[in-house]
Amino acid sequence: MVLKIFFPQCCNMAASGLLIGHWLPGQDSAVVLAVVHYPFIPGQVKRYLSQLRNESQVELAVLGSWSMPKDGQEGMESFLRDLSTIFPQGRWLQLSREMGKKGFTCRVVQRDGGLLGEEGENGDGDGDGDGDGDGDGDGDGDGDGDGDGDGDGDGGRVIFIHYDQRKVMLCQLHPPEGGARGVGAVIGGEESSELRLVFSAVAQSQPLFFTDKYDDGPLKLTHWQSEGREGSIIVELAKHASVPVCLLLTWLLSLWTWLCSVTNLQPVRFVSSKLSTCVQLSYRTEHLQIVSSPKTALGHSESMRKANIFVSFFVDVALGLLLISWLYQENRISRLANTLVPVADHVAKELQELLQWLMGAPAGFKMNRALDQVLGRFFLYHIHLWISYIHLMSPFIERILWYVGLCACLGLTFALSVLSDIVALLTFHIYCFYVYGARLYCLKIYGLSSLWRLFRGKKWNVLRQRVDSCSYDMDQLFIGTLLFTVLLFLLPTTALYYLVFTLLRLVVVLFQGLIHLSVDFINSFPLFAMGLRLCRPYRLAEGVKFRVLCEEPGKPLHLMMEINPLGYGSVLQWYRTPTYSCYPKDSWAALCKKLFVGELVYPWRHKGTKID
């Protein structure tokens, strides 16, 4: 039989008293959580534990006694041993440590039929010696263990597992994925369930840590929070101060949501769903509603999500303010407005030259001249309209940019979304060319495919959604042959225009895609979790590893339990904030198929699509 005792390092130098902890159900293990200092009244200890059982979710009990005699306390160990009759337990742990020695002795006493008998090998190990073990817990520990083990046992063994109670209390143990991630990681199986019970017992014993050795009450305890309570007090004050701010923000957001619902008519809803700025505004509104919710976060995942959203929003606004401070200095808005119109004229001029090239003999290809001239003049007229529109708006561009730039105070993501919408408006003529060419090309492709089925004696059954056999007369075959010939010889001219404008459209979509990826990265990247992993790696764990502190024949084995932090990739996978997709969830094969048959590829997000 092996008895595991999880002992906190903060109690190594605690004054003599009682061990408060929890026996793990279904496991031959005990978790020591605190030490009640002598002097104490046993009745007060029982009432205190009864109160803690009602407040916490862990069955706290007196595990045994802890003896560290000082001057004038020679009979302390005998007094603590007699307390086993006052606090009846199935097992009574008697741990003692002598001044000037690193190790401490262990004696396990069990109650059997009203009589006290001893079990377990009572030896001594070095509770905090200098061990030298490798990461997998099989290292050769050479710490100093010099306590006195003098108990009589029946061959059982006691293993002390020392742990940092503060780290275990603040740590979140994540379920493993795909087996062990590193040497020495304790995951999976029965051992993992035991460790989860240990972490859960420490985390759920928070009411026990409200009393420490500096309180004026009748009981004084030593645990992880006995030193440095000021930090937690500051956090509690910040929580109370944030309540009125959250209530005010919740009221403003509810008012904004009501105004949006009132003005949410069909045309407004359609336009807002296509503008990146409106999508980002809706997304941030939802985030602020989550952060400002007065409800307490349920569980670790929800609290981490709120923290990630808050930090992401704060960093987003900070980057936006930096952009504003740079944009409104040295008259950069005016210079940008003066550059915008010449750039638009240059793009329109290049498109005109491209269309004139297509209206001739592009790359030596002989085109259908009539259709070529019709399409070329049609697109040239659109470019003419676009240039006239740009010159009509040129006196107001600087003022528009000046007011639009102020949206960066809402965050860098808003500025990038506005930039995406500006690019979409400035290249609207290219989008129109792409739509015209794609619709004309798609019409001819579907016409040719239908006529090809006619030659083979087939037709498309709309009701059954399949190709069925069909018999045609001579007139139908003659007209089908004539139409097929016309469409086939007009296809190269249409396909060339479609190819050119699709390539131009893909260039614009690629630029907008880079902007949308940047926005999604800022929205979804778990900044708080990554910062926590970088500065406090023990807060996010995927397992533990053991280091040998002391191992001597006939004496308990002393191990040091160290937290194995979660990898950065796993942190990103666990805590990435769900965000909306800006692109269809099509594979490359499906995208190429759409481009081949002339179906429109929209770069914007459709309602309801979401990345989990």
Side-chain angles (χ1 to χ4, degrees):
M1 183 194 66
V2 177
L3 175 63
K4 299 178 184 178
I5 301 177
F6 291 85
F7 195 84
Q9 284 184 306
C10 57
C11 296
N12 285 342
M13 300 299 295
S16 299
L18 294 176
L19 297 173
I20 304 297
H22 173 65
W23 288 99
L24 299 182
Q27 305 288 338
D28 204 14
S29 306
V31 183
V32 178
L33 299 173
V35 175
V36 179
H37 296 181
Y38 177 83
F40 53 82
I41 300 176
Q44 292 179 342
V45 176
K46 289 184 177 182
R47 287 194 297 270
Y48 178 65
L49 290 179
S50 177
Q51 179 183 357
L52 289 178
R53 292 189 189 101
N54 297 329
E55 297 177 357
S56 64
Q57 302 177 5
V58 179
E59 187 68 21
L60 299 176
V62 178
L63 302 181
S65 61
W66 167 258
S67 176
M68 191 170 183
K70 299 180 180 178
D71 295 339
Q73 297 182 354
E74 288 75 9
M76 179 61 64
E77 187 171 356
S78 176
F79 167 74
L80 294 175
R81 186 185 303 114
D82 296 337
L83 290 176
S84 61
T85 59
I86 302 177
F87 300 96
Q89 297 290 338
R91 291 177 181 174
W92 183 265
L93 304 179
Q94 293 181 2
L95 307 183
S96 62
R97 181 173 185 176
E98 298 182 11
M99 295 298 296
K101 293 186 178 181
K102 295 182 178 180
F104 51 89
T105 61
C106 172
R107 175 173 296 177
V108 182
V109 182
Q110 70 174 0
R111 180 177 296 273
D112 185 11
L115 300 176
L116 293 177
E118 297 176 355
E119 75 169 38
E121 183 71 17
N122 298 305
D124 170 48
D126 181 6
D128 40 48
D130 299 323
D132 183 18
D134 55 22
D136 57 0
D138 297 329
D140 300 326
D142 53 2
D144 302 327
D146 47 13
D148 300 327
D150 54 0
D152 300 328
D154 57 357
R157 189 178 184 186
V158 177
I159 297 179
F160 285 96
I161 301 177
H162 302 266
Y163 69 97
D164 190 328
Q165 196 175 48
R166 177 176 178 271
K167 292 183 178 180
V168 173
M169 176 66 191
L170 300 176
C171 173
Q172 176 65 27
L173 189 62
H174 294 73
E177 294 184 2
R181 296 178 180 270
V183 178
V186 177
I187 56 178
E190 182 179 356
E191 196 168 9
S192 176
S193 62
E194 182 180 7
L195 285 173
R196 293 192 179 279
L197 290 175
V198 173
F199 277 73
S200 177
V202 177
Q204 295 177 359
S205 302
Q206 194 170 4
L208 176 65
F209 304 136
F210 292 158
T211 304
D212 58 31
K213 61 184 179 182
Y214 298 107
D215 292 340
D216 296 331
L219 299 178
K220 299 182 182 299
L221 281 72
T222 294
H223 46 72
W224 72 280
Q225 214 171 2
S226 297
E227 304 290 345
R229 292 288 295 275
E230 293 79 6
S232 60
I233 294 176
I234 294 176
V235 172
E236 291 299 326
L237 290 176
K239 289 180 180 178
H240 288 293
S242 64
V243 171
V245 177
C246 290
L247 292 177
L248 177 61
L249 187 58
T250 302
W251 181 79
L252 293 176
L253 288 174
S254 62
L255 180 61
W256 167 255
T257 305
W258 178 78
L259 291 175
C260 292
S261 62
V262 171
T263 59
N264 194 18
L265 302 177
Q266 181 61 32
V268 177
R269 189 186 310 122
F270 176 78
V271 174
S272 63
S273 65
K274 302 301 181 286
L275 294 178
S276 300
T277 306
C278 296
V279 173
Q280 179 62 18
L281 182 61
S282 174
Y283 186 69
R284 280 303 185 193
T285 301
E286 179 184 350
H287 274 184
L288 289 177
Q289 288 176 344
I290 295 175
V291 174
S292 61
S293 175
K295 297 180 180 179
T296 306
L298 301 177
H300 172 78
S301 299
E302 187 174 349
S303 61
M304 288 293 293
R305 185 188 180 193
K306 283 189 174 183
N308 285 323
I309 291 174
F310 177 78
V311 174
S312 175
F313 178 77
F314 179 78
V315 173
D316 186 19
V317 172
L319 293 176
L321 294 177
L322 288 177
L323 178 62
I324 286 181
S325 64
W326 175 83
L327 195 62
Y328 287 86
Q329 291 179 358
E330 301 179 4
N331 203 20
R332 289 191 175 93
I333 293 289
S334 178
R335 286 187 290 176
L336 180 62
N338 294 333
T339 307
L340 197 59
V341 175
V343 169
D345 288 338
H346 178 72
V347 172
K349 182 180 178 181
E350 293 295 331
L351 285 176
Q352 286 179 337
E353 294 179 356
L354 177 63
L355 287 173
Q356 290 173 359
W357 178 71
L358 291 175
M359 292 171 65
F365 289 104
K366 186 177 181 180
M367 314 296 291
N368 185 285
R369 185 168 183 79
L371 180 61
D372 193 11
Q373 292 296 321
V374 170
L375 292 178
R377 291 176 181 178
F378 177 75
F379 291 132
L380 283 174
Y381 180 71
H382 276 72
I383 293 177
H384 173 71
L385 291 178
W386 183 251
I387 293 176
S388 302
Y389 172 72
I390 290 295
H391 285 280
L392 182 65
M393 294 293 297
S394 59
F396 310 100
I397 289 180
E398 181 178 355
R399 186 173 297 274
I400 292 174
L401 291 179
W402 196 93
Y403 286 110
V404 167
L406 294 177
C407 71
C409 63
L410 299 176
L412 181 62
T413 54
F414 282 92
L416 293 176
S417 300
V418 169
L419 177 60
S420 177
D421 292 335
I422 291 176
V423 171
L425 292 176
L426 291 179
T427 60
F428 184 71
H429 53 307
I430 296 178
Y431 173 72
C432 291
F433 295 165
Y434 164 70
V435 172
Y436 297 153
R439 289 303 186 190
L440 187 59
Y441 175 78
C442 182
L443 178 63
K444 292 190 176 182
I445 290 294
Y446 277 102
L448 288 172
S449 62
S450 298
L451 294 174
W452 178 250
R453 286 194 294 268
L454 182 143
F455 294 151
R456 295 182 299 146
K458 305 287 185 179
K459 73 172 183 178
W460 176 254
N461 192 328
V462 180
L463 296 178
R464 298 180 180 273
Q465 293 294 308
R466 68 182 185 184
V467 177
D468 294 335
S469 300
C470 181
S471 59
Y472 298 96
D473 55 23
M474 293 299 296
D475 295 338
Q476 291 175 330
L477 291 175
F478 175 76
I479 295 176
T481 304
L482 182 63
L483 292 177
F484 182 83
T485 305
V486 172
L487 292 178
L488 182 62
F489 282 101
L490 293 180
L491 181 63
T493 303
T494 307
L496 183 61
Y497 276 88
Y498 169 70
L499 176 63
V500 172
F501 292 129
T502 299
L503 293 177
L504 292 177
R505 179 59 184 165
L506 289 179
V507 171
V508 176
V509 169
L510 179 62
F511 180 74
Q512 288 183 289
L514 294 176
I515 297 176
H516 293 161
L517 287 177
S518 303
V519 173
D520 283 347
F521 178 79
I522 297 175
N523 287 333
S524 63
F525 190 75
L527 287 172
F528 179 79
M530 282 295 182
L532 206 62
R533 170 61 180 86
L534 181 63
C535 301
R536 297 288 188 272
Y538 60 86
R539 294 290 300 272
L540 306 175
E542 64 176 353
V544 299
K545 53 186 176 183
F546 296 106
R547 178 168 56 89
V548 178
L549 291 177
C550 180
E551 184 178 13
E552 296 183 8
K555 294 185 179 181
L557 174 64
H558 287 256
L559 302 176
M560 181 62 196
M561 186 176 71
E562 298 177 351
I563 293 177
N564 194 24
L566 198 65
Y568 287 100
S570 299
V571 172
L572 184 62
Q573 180 180 0
W574 274 99
Y575 297 105
R576 179 177 177 269
T577 305
T579 182
Y580 293 105
S581 174
C582 296
Y583 300 95
K585 296 182 179 180
D586 293 331
S587 62
W588 288 105
L591 181 62
C592 292
K593 181 181 177 181
K594 286 185 176 182
L595 293 175
F596 180 76
V597 299
E599 293 185 15
L600 295 180
V601 178
Y602 294 100
W604 50 65
R605 172 189 65 84
H606 295 280
K607 290 290 186 180
T609 57
K610 203 172 187 178
I611 293 179
D612 294 328

